[in-house]
Amino acid sequence: MESTFSSPAEAALQREAGVPGQLTPLADLDRVYELERVIRFVRDVGCQRVALQFPDQMLGDAGAVAARLEETTGSKMFILGDTVYGSCCVDVLGAEQAGAQALVHFGPACLSPPARPLPVAFVFGQRSVALELCAKAFEAQNPDPTAPVVLLSEPACAHALETLATLLRPRYKDLLISSPALPLPVGSPRPVPEPLERFGRRFPLALGRCLEEYGAFYVGGSEASSDPDLDPDLSRLLLGWAPGRPFSSCCPDTGQTQDESARAGRLRARRRYLVERARDARVVGLLAGTMGVAQHREALAHLRNLTKAAGKRSYVLALGQPTPAKLANFPEMDVFVLLACPLGALAPQLSGGFFRPVLAPCELEAACNPAWPPPGLAPHLTHYADLLPGSPFHVPLPPPESELWSAPDVSLISGELRPPPAWNLSNDPECSALTPRPQLELVESSPAASFLSSRSWKGLEPRLGQTLVTEAVSGRRGIAIAYEDEGSS
């Protein structure tokens, strides 16, 4: 039962910790892990117990980094090597179990606010960037010097964007530099004007400008990547960027560029297909992913109300990391919706091994909310907090008497006309489309029971009243390896 609904305990001991990375030379630890900034953070917070969260590929340097910080700060360091859900999220639960008063997160991060207040410092690392090669690649991809372009990067290359912009600004005047949306220090005033925060980044837009006017130049990735579509950070940018605007990526090592328009089109087509699957679904499984991100309870309640308003049944499942083996135990579910951080919600989509499709909350919102804008006009929101009331992207459900609930809707997958929600069926006495008999009643059965009745094997049946009653008789004695009536061999 343990291996059916959750990962077995032996899997944690036998699992390979990702691709083993090379150990960083001791002379480069201060630069790669920005230890001076971490030391200032520990001293400013004034904490005696600090949790250090490392992804799998950086665990080889965890001991040396912890020893260096303990020697310099005098605080006790705890290494978190196996996070509760994903390495990109802040493991607040693990830090609380260690009694830590602050946490330092190393490696790629989704920058989602934690569910519990805890001083957090993020260290992305500093990947080397070939600035001259990237500048030449930018000029080749953007021949028009007046076109507005945003400089984007993976978190480890963010330190080089300002230097890259310095090389480009003599020719390109309308450049916008993004930066990671790191949490502001406690007590520090917010900048005025406040920059736009989207995709885990800050964009210092000028007054009257909008992000949809800009093209994008992304510095990150690798030529050795076997499947670049599996990069959740780049997928988040491609899905959320304005369609029709140019988007190109550049390898920071070689300067080789790639036009991402075709990949963005594939991702959007996949999302529209998932929306159609969600509209056809009758039973929805809500997967409670990470519990360490803020507002996950409010988002779960919002999704349950959304499915109820659309006439669908929903079940909440807490299974940890979703795997095909876990989700295959619930074949009565038509689709699953993963409630996780922006990077975690996009990570398993293209694996192709799931029995049922796994959606992000934004796809379910587009499928169940008739007031949601049509494709091409609605933004693709990767964080579930953007769907909640108070967000500028929140679209409230229309009232029950609205005509949007009864608008004709045809499935693009099956070609059939979708019925309206059960609560929206017409009760007009003058309607003569159907004349039910008085002695007949329409009873709504459970979707799970209907699914079970359609299967050829329904389990062990009691067959009450059909089995003859007999007296109890003495059975076999002994153990399975040697019953008494088997004799000796």
Side-chain angles (χ1 to χ4, degrees), residues 16-382:
E16 294 185 2
V19 179
Q22 297 181 354
L23 296 180
T24 304
L26 295 179
D28 296 336
L29 281 180
D30 292 352
R31 177 185 59 84
V32 174
Y33 292 97
E34 304 179 43
L35 296 186
E36 292 185 2
R37 184 166 66 88
V38 176
I39 292 172
R40 289 198 306 269
F41 166 76
V42 174
R43 290 175 176 174
D44 293 342
V45 175
C47 51
Q48 299 300 321
R49 300 170 68 90
V50 182
L52 307 179
Q53 181 178 344
F54 289 86
D56 291 342
Q57 63 271 19
M58 292 184 176
L59 279 177
D61 295 330
V65 172
R68 182 76 61 85
L69 292 177
E70 285 187 346
E71 179 184 356
T72 308
T73 63
S75 301
K76 183 67 175 177
M77 301 294 164
F78 298 86
I79 299 174
L80 304 181
D82 189 11
T83 56
V84 175
Y85 184 76
S87 60
C88 64
C89 300
V90 175
D91 190 4
V92 180
L93 300 179
E96 288 183 349
Q97 292 177 356
Q101 302 164 326
L103 185 143
V104 181
H105 184 284
F106 295 92
C110 59
L111 299 178
S112 301
R116 297 174 177 84
L118 183 71
V120 180
F122 293 93
V123 178
F124 303 118
Q126 295 187 1
R127 181 181 177 182
S128 60
V129 179
L131 295 174
E132 295 292 340
L133 296 178
C134 291
K136 293 180 180 179
F138 182 93
E139 294 174 355
Q141 290 290 327
N142 301 274
D144 185 6
T146 61
V149 183
V150 177
L151 290 180
L152 302 167
S153 72
E154 65 179 35
C157 299
H159 65 95
L161 288 187
E162 284 287 350
T163 308
L164 179 60
T166 304
L167 298 177
L168 297 173
R169 278 199 173 113
R171 181 181 176 188
Y172 296 89
K173 304 300 181 182
D174 200 354
L175 274 181
L176 186 65
I177 305 173
S178 66
S179 59
L182 297 173
L184 297 176
V186 179
S188 62
R190 302 192 67 87
V192 179
E194 191 170 349
L196 174 68
E197 288 194 14
R198 289 192 65 185
F199 314 116
R201 295 165 170 84
R202 291 191 177 98
F203 300 91
L205 291 170
L207 188 63
R209 303 294 298 273
C210 60
L211 193 60
E212 289 73 17
E213 303 174 7
Y214 288 81
F217 185 81
Y218 179 84
V219 180
S222 173
E223 294 178 326
S225 178
S226 59
D227 191 352
D229 288 342
L230 294 180
D231 183 2
D233 185 49
L234 182 56
S235 299
R236 169 171 63 168
L237 290 168
L238 293 177
L239 285 170
W241 210 257
R245 303 303 302 171
F247 197 111
S248 58
S249 63
C250 175
C251 177
D253 302 322
T254 62
Q256 183 174 353
T257 59
Q258 181 178 354
D259 187 4
E260 302 292 348
S261 301
R263 190 187 307 176
R266 292 197 305 267
L267 290 174
R268 295 191 184 100
R270 171 68 177 171
R271 297 297 146 183
R272 292 174 185 174
Y273 168 76
L274 293 177
V275 171
E276 289 296 317
R277 290 293 300 267
R279 287 173 177 166
D280 290 342
R282 295 183 56 209
V283 186
V284 180
L286 303 178
L287 302 177
T290 175
M291 299 297 181
V293 180
Q295 294 184 299
H296 67 274
R297 296 181 183 272
E298 294 83 352
L300 187 60
H302 173 75
L303 296 181
R304 296 187 66 180
N305 294 334
L306 193 65
T307 54
K308 182 178 180 181
K312 306 178 187 297
R313 295 290 183 91
S314 64
Y315 296 89
V316 180
L317 306 174
L319 304 177
Q321 281 280 8
T323 61
K326 294 179 184 178
L327 301 189
N329 291 284
F330 306 94
E332 63 273 14
M333 305 295 172
D334 296 321
V335 294
F336 294 95
V337 180
L338 179 58
L339 190 68
C341 68
L343 301 184
L346 294 174
Q349 297 298 322
L350 301 172
S351 61
F354 290 93
F355 182 67
R356 299 292 189 205
V358 181
L359 288 70
C362 182
E363 278 100 41
L364 185 66
E365 183 82 26
C368 298
N369 190 349
W372 191 258
L377 299 178
H380 189 279
L381 307 176
T382 56

Side-chain angles (χ1 to χ4, degrees), residues 476 481-489:
R476 308 177 73 179
I481 195 174
Y483 289 105
E484 294 180 357
D485 57 348
E486 289 182 344
S488 59
S489 57

